[in-house]
Amino acid sequence: MSTSLLLVDDDRTFSSLAASVLTQEGFRVRMARSLHETRAALARESPDLVILDRRLPDGDGLAFLPELRSQVPGAVVLMVTAHGDIASAVQAIQAGARDYLAKPVELDDLVLRARRAAEDVRLQERLRRAESALEGRHRMLVPRSPAMRHTLQMLERIATSPRSPVLLLGETGVGKEVIARHLHALRGEQGPFVHVNCAALPDTMVESELFGHERGAFTDARTARRGLVEVANGGLLFLDEVGELPLALQAKLLTFLDKGAFRRLGGSTELSSTARVVAATNRNLTDEVAAGRFREDLYFRLSVFKVDIPPLRERREDVLPLAESLVAELCAELGRRPVGFSAAARERLERYPFPGNVRELRNVLERALVLESGPALELEALAPGRGGPALPADPNAFVVAGPPLALEEVERRYVRHVLERLEGRRMDAARALGISYPTFLRRLGED
């Protein structure tokens, strides 16, 4: 959806030209030429971006700014001031404006600043949606198992040190993101929680995603862009699968951890961020260091606080409370009436080893809610010999069930199996299969 923009300026020539140019840039532009028209426009629709002139026929735009901020607190405001009126610009920023422009306004400069503001609007919206979606799903239950209680007690102590890096270790699906969010919540009011899946970032874009870039830094860099390190300022930056970061970028991350400073790609100005870095991996980083795939100095810097998260099979006391909480969340998501567990289901939950940890538990429960129609869940898929997720002799085996398939389909399924085994790391999957990356995409069916 395009960004809505309210242009408040009584200069008809300038506002018409600016509206035309901004419309061509993809903005939905409305115009107002006085504070009276501005109030009427705000009553009809809340804009994402407001360009506000200070000198208006019926009042001072700067004096109106607090009213504007209270009426549309989510809007980004760019203040237009007289040439050389630095004092007004400073007052505007202090009153909540994101940026300012000095008259006479250059249209190129106006477009550039509007683009930057629109990018901020989109980024904040993505963060709000993600936080809303994850608010219930990633809350931390009070654990019953001694191992998990010890882990949370350690987190409470770590939370008193606001910038020290934390390294979360544990099997896949064990709940590392939930632990990171819990650490973020322990700090109370602060900046955002920003989750980065390092395995999903293309090698060519990972530096730009993390540290941002300046205009012209590469071919498609038409505007400057803040990186996620900058976005997480004052909050927590969660680097999931940190072992997937390229070696060249590991050095830049180390510099940021040491100094809290960084430069955007293509930039010369040193910027700073107080984001706390929490990294997670299910790899053995000691082995990665020995193999030359991970920097030893970065490993030592990340592991100032090293937290081992026990697998679900080692905290059996937590399985049933977790299952009850997850079922309640899933029932709400699926629009189903609340449902409990039969006695047999409770026994199956207690006996099943859950090699996929909490993620597997959630998947089992979601499948049961869809396929089982009784008054209580039986979780028959966990019963031995029922063909469900009970452990086979080799949990990593590749099995093609059903009637014979064409060789091409078998290959496609095996490629997907390998990709799943490697947690979605496509380049690693291609290397493991001994084929080129384009061939891998063709076999996957995404060429």
Side-chain angles (χ1 to χ4, degrees):
M1 187 174 70
S2 59
T3 303
S4 61
L5 184 151
L6 179 61
L7 176 60
V8 184
D9 198 300
D10 64 334
D11 186 334
R12 293 179 179 272
T13 302
F14 167 74
S15 58
S16 296
L17 284 172
S20 176
V21 171
L22 290 168
T23 300
Q24 292 175 10
E25 290 292 323
F27 292 89
R28 289 189 297 109
V29 181
R30 293 182 298 147
M31 290 188 289
R33 295 189 171 90
S34 66
L35 293 182
H36 175 74
E37 292 184 13
T38 301
R39 291 186 177 98
L42 294 175
R44 290 191 298 270
E45 180 184 358
S46 296
D48 299 314
L49 173 62
V50 180
I51 298 175
L52 177 64
D53 191 8
R54 177 170 185 181
R55 308 298 180 185
L56 295 166
D58 57 348
D60 186 342
L62 182 57
F64 174 70
L65 187 54
E67 179 183 337
L68 172 63
R69 295 290 298 156
S70 65
Q71 190 166 347
V72 281
V76 175
V77 180
L78 304 182
M79 197 78 195
V80 179
T81 65
H83 177 68
D85 191 359
I86 300 300
S88 293
V90 172
Q91 288 178 324
I93 298 298
Q94 291 174 340
R98 178 68 56 86
D99 204 348
Y100 71 93
L101 300 102
K103 286 189 171 182
V105 177
E106 296 289 339
L107 290 177
D108 287 346
D109 189 37
L110 174 64
V111 169
L112 176 61
R113 293 171 189 261
R115 282 176 179 166
R116 287 178 178 173
E119 180 64 24
D120 285 345
V121 168
R122 287 190 290 269
L123 185 58
Q124 289 301 322
E125 179 61 24
R126 289 198 298 270
L127 286 172
R128 280 194 296 271
R129 288 179 181 178
E131 288 291 337
S132 177
L134 294 168
E135 184 178 359
R137 184 168 176 171
H138 291 280
R139 68 174 182 268
M140 189 75 199
L141 292 179
V142 177
R144 297 180 181 179
S145 64
M148 202 63 190
R149 284 204 302 268
H150 174 74
T151 297
L152 294 195
Q153 289 168 2
M154 183 183 297
L155 287 178
E156 290 172 1
R157 293 193 293 270
I158 291 171
T160 62
S161 175
R163 274 217 73 231
S164 299
V166 180
L167 181 61
L168 303 179
L169 302 174
E171 298 176 3
T172 182
V174 81
K176 292 185 280 292
E177 183 181 351
V178 176
I179 293 294
R181 287 183 176 276
H182 181 67
L183 178 60
H184 178 249
L186 287 172
R187 292 288 300 163
E189 293 295 329
Q190 55 175 321
F193 178 96
V194 179
H195 178 193
V196 184
N197 185 348
C198 299
L201 295 177
D203 288 351
T204 55
M205 294 297 295
V206 61
E207 182 174 0
S208 172
E209 288 292 324
L210 285 180
F211 295 103
H213 62 256
E214 297 292 351
R215 183 181 183 184
F218 48 87
T219 304
D220 293 328
R222 297 184 177 89
T223 62
R225 181 180 180 185
R226 295 194 303 163
L228 296 176
V229 167
E230 207 169 339
V231 172
N233 183 39
L236 188 148
L237 180 67
F238 178 50
L239 299 179
D240 200 3
E241 298 300 340
V242 70
E244 302 298 323
L245 285 179
L247 277 169
L249 193 65
Q250 292 176 25
K252 191 165 184 176
L253 177 60
L254 178 63
T255 300
F256 171 67
L257 290 172
D258 284 338
K259 302 178 180 178
F262 64 96
R263 287 186 175 87
R264 291 177 180 170
L265 182 63
S268 57
T269 303
E270 189 170 76
L271 305 173
S272 63
S273 171
T274 59
R276 176 182 212 149
V277 173
V278 175
T281 181
N282 58 8
R283 289 192 175 194
N284 187 322
L285 288 186
T286 305
D287 292 344
E288 296 296 300
V289 169
R293 292 188 293 266
F294 201 83
R295 292 179 62 110
E296 185 177 35
D297 47 5
L298 177 59
Y299 170 65
F300 289 135
R301 190 70 183 93
L302 283 173
S303 55
V304 171
F305 295 110
K306 190 160 57 174
V307 179
D308 288 288
I309 305 172
L312 197 53
R313 63 182 174 274
E314 293 180 9
R315 43 188 175 113
R316 307 297 308 179
E317 304 95 326
D318 296 331
V319 174
L320 187 56
L322 270 173
E324 291 171 341
S325 174
L326 290 171
V327 161
E329 293 173 14
L330 288 166
C331 284
E333 290 179 15
L334 297 171
R336 180 171 174 174
R337 294 176 62 183
V339 63
F341 298 105
S342 69
R346 290 171 178 268
E347 183 180 352
R348 288 162 184 160
L349 285 170
E350 291 173 357
R351 295 178 59 184
Y352 186 72
F354 289 105
N357 293 293
V358 181
R359 183 181 295 128
E360 183 183 11
L361 172 60
R362 181 184 176 87
N363 292 342
V364 167
L365 296 174
E366 183 174 359
R367 183 163 56 248
L369 282 170
V370 172
L371 298 180
E372 297 184 17
S373 56
L377 294 180
E378 296 290 341
L379 301 184
E380 294 180 353
L382 296 182
R386 297 304 297 262
L391 282 175
D394 180 5
N396 298 319
F398 171 66
V399 179
V400 180
L405 299 172
L407 182 59
E408 182 179 355
E409 178 60 21
V410 174
E411 287 181 343
R412 182 178 293 108
R413 292 191 183 189
Y414 183 67
V415 167
R416 291 175 180 171
H417 169 75
V418 172
L419 184 61
E420 183 179 352
R421 285 280 314 281
L422 294 174
E423 300 291 324
R425 300 189 299 273
R426 297 189 170 201
M427 295 296 291
D428 284 359
R431 283 193 289 268
L433 290 164
I435 57 178
S436 68
Y437 191 68
T439 302
F440 170 82
L441 293 179
R442 286 196 297 273
R443 299 282 174 82
L444 193 61
E446 296 185 5
D447 56 334

